[in-house]
Amino acid sequence: MNGRELASSSARQPRTAATDANHFVLTFENNRFASELFGQFDQNLKLLEQRLNIDARPRGNSVAISGDVMATNQARRALDFLYERLQKGGSVEASDVEGAIRMAQAADDQLQLPTMEKKAKLSMSQISTKKKTIVARTPTQDAYMRALERSELVFGVGPAGTGKTYLAVAHAAQLLERGAVDKIILSRPAVEAGERLGFLPGDMKEKVDPYLRPLYDALYDMMPGDKVERAITAGVIEIAPLAFMRGRTLSNAAIILDEAQNTTSMQMKMFLTRLGEGGRMIITGDPSQVDLPRGVKSGLVEALQILKGVEGISVIKFKDTDVVRHPLVGRIVKAYDAQYAVHEESEDLDR
């Protein structure tokens, strides 16, 4: 089969042969895509079975799905979406299957997401550069990515592993590639649990770079390495500690402040007032992991209270259910949150 014939056949949509309310067969016209969709040793179908408590039995380029009505419809929407992703040149990993399942379930939970057509096809927000395309894997990620497009200032807050920092950097890279901004500025407060910068070897850049590694990693994922290096050398991408922001006006730039829970009130106010004409600002952090000295209020926590309802600002709150790393990470976050809640209740009773 030549390229033209392959493209022609891959454009076809899967056919559904309904037999009863709880059982149907999906047939995918492109055999190669069907194989990738089902996964090696049908691992993607097994994941659908585990998460949705259904039965998914493959046969050639078809799969018979049976089980609860709602669950089987969720499986259908997830498979349709993933097949379309393959048609567009993407790939399907286990994490993509997890994401499609979450979004299909969210549709049935009647979450008010503009990108979702109830009971119909799934449509998830995307961030695309020439190197990579990222698709939302949870309803909150979908809302976050839409907020990044429409708002000049976005807060992404919640536990580790939810993608808030990674998506922020990816969006900034997309804006730079589009020409919507002239530069990217990435910053973090140089505060960590138990470590002190003065004891680290090297100059200030070498001391700070390890703390900024997550930002570097996201950049290299979205842009070719040589392009990132040239952009850093030319000052088009600037990575600096928060202290270096004082006195500047940041215009026509995508500005990201990561680990914002470790800013003081004055640092946060200083950073927020750096926003200049044509600038886009993204602030990420986890209010439950403040490493500031005891008694020092987090600038992030205070800002979320003070700026509530201010026009032009979007606040997206991630939960443990939005963790897209290893599933165990989500359970760990949930366990810690529950323990903190018990501890806070105990302190309230002691007062």
Side-chain angles (χ1 to χ4, degrees):
M1 179 179 288
N2 59 39
R4 183 179 297 276
E5 290 171 335
L6 178 60
S8 174
S9 66
S10 67
R12 300 171 187 164
Q13 295 301 313
R15 299 192 306 271
T16 303
T19 56
D20 60 57
N22 297 329
H23 177 86
F24 55 82
V25 177
L26 279 177
T27 300
F28 301 92
E29 298 293 342
N30 187 295
N31 291 334
R32 180 170 66 85
F33 288 167
S35 177
E36 292 181 39
L37 177 63
F38 298 166
Q40 188 174 21
F41 304 116
D42 301 323
Q43 61 185 10
N44 293 340
L45 294 181
K46 291 175 183 176
L47 185 55
L48 278 173
E49 289 182 321
Q50 293 169 4
R51 295 290 183 266
L52 297 175
N53 194 27
I54 61 168
D55 186 56
R57 299 190 179 187
R59 185 173 182 179
N61 61 338
S62 297
V63 55
I65 298 175
S66 58
D68 175 78
V69 175
M70 181 178 291
T72 54
N73 282 327
Q74 289 168 356
R76 174 184 56 78
R77 291 199 299 274
L79 288 171
D80 284 350
F81 171 79
L82 294 169
Y83 184 72
E84 187 174 333
R85 177 183 173 92
L86 289 167
Q87 290 176 328
K88 294 177 179 178
S91 60
V92 172
E93 308 294 337
S95 56
D96 300 310
V97 180
E98 291 272 14
I101 292 170
R102 292 187 193 194
M103 297 297 282
Q105 290 174 325
D108 284 329
D109 289 340
Q110 298 183 350
L111 294 181
Q112 297 303 310
L113 297 177
T115 57
M116 193 120 14
E117 300 173 27
K118 284 284 294 166
K119 306 289 185 178
K121 287 180 62 178
L122 294 181
S123 179
M124 306 181 197
S125 296
Q126 298 184 358
I127 294 175
S128 296
T129 63
K130 292 178 181 177
K131 183 178 179 181
K132 189 171 185 178
T133 295
I134 301 171
V135 181
R137 292 180 179 173
T138 73
T140 310
Q141 281 194 357
D142 183 86
Y144 185 50
M145 291 159 78
R146 292 181 63 79
L148 293 174
E149 283 288 346
R150 69 172 182 266
S151 299
E152 294 174 321
L153 174 56
V154 178
F155 286 88
V157 296
T162 52
K164 56 188 185 296
T165 298
Y166 186 84
L167 293 176
V169 177
H171 179 71
Q174 177 182 254
L175 291 176
L176 183 65
E177 195 171 89
R178 285 181 186 171
V181 297
D182 297 332
K183 66 185 304 182
I184 296 173
I185 299 173
L186 308 174
S187 185
R188 266 182 142 186
V191 176
E192 296 294 331
E195 300 97 358
R196 295 186 182 275
L197 290 175
F199 291 99
L200 294 174
D203 58 22
M204 178 55 74
K205 182 179 184 302
E206 291 170 327
K207 289 174 186 289
V208 171
D209 272 0
Y211 295 117
L212 300 173
R213 180 48 55 188
L215 305 179
Y216 281 110
D217 291 344
L219 273 176
Y220 282 105
D221 261 8
M222 299 305 297
M223 302 169 63
D226 58 340
K227 190 173 181 179
V228 173
E229 296 295 339
R230 289 197 303 270
I232 291 175
T233 301
V236 174
I237 296 177
E238 180 181 345
I239 304 176
L242 178 60
F244 291 9
M245 297 294 106
R246 190 173 297 280
R248 302 178 62 184
T249 300
L250 308 175
S251 303
N252 301 312
I255 314 139
I256 298 173
L257 175 61
D258 189 35
E259 297 290 338
Q261 75 274 6
N262 290 328
T263 60
T264 64
S265 297
M266 292 304 295
Q267 286 176 327
M268 177 58 77
K269 182 180 178 182
M270 178 274 292
F271 182 80
L272 288 169
T273 54
R274 299 308 93 199
L275 185 63
E277 192 70 28
R280 306 293 289 270
M281 187 172 280
I282 310 167
I283 298 173
T284 66
D286 181 359
S288 72
Q289 293 193 25
V290 177
D291 298 317
L292 293 169
R294 183 177 293 274
V296 178
K297 188 169 185 178
S298 167
L300 174 62
V301 173
E302 183 181 68
L304 292 173
Q305 295 168 346
I306 293 174
L307 302 177
K308 188 175 182 179
V310 174
E311 184 179 354
I313 298 177
S314 293
V315 178
I316 305 298
K317 296 182 179 181
F318 293 84
K319 302 176 182 177
D320 60 273
T321 52
D322 296 304
V323 172
V324 292
R325 291 180 184 166
H326 192 288
L328 183 57
V329 176
R331 297 195 289 273
I332 291 171
V333 171
K334 188 174 183 179
Y336 268 89
D337 286 347
Q339 180 61 33
Y340 287 142
V342 170
H343 180 68
E344 289 174 0
E345 288 178 7
S346 177
E347 286 187 340
D348 290 339
L349 290 173
D350 291 339
R351 288 172 186 158

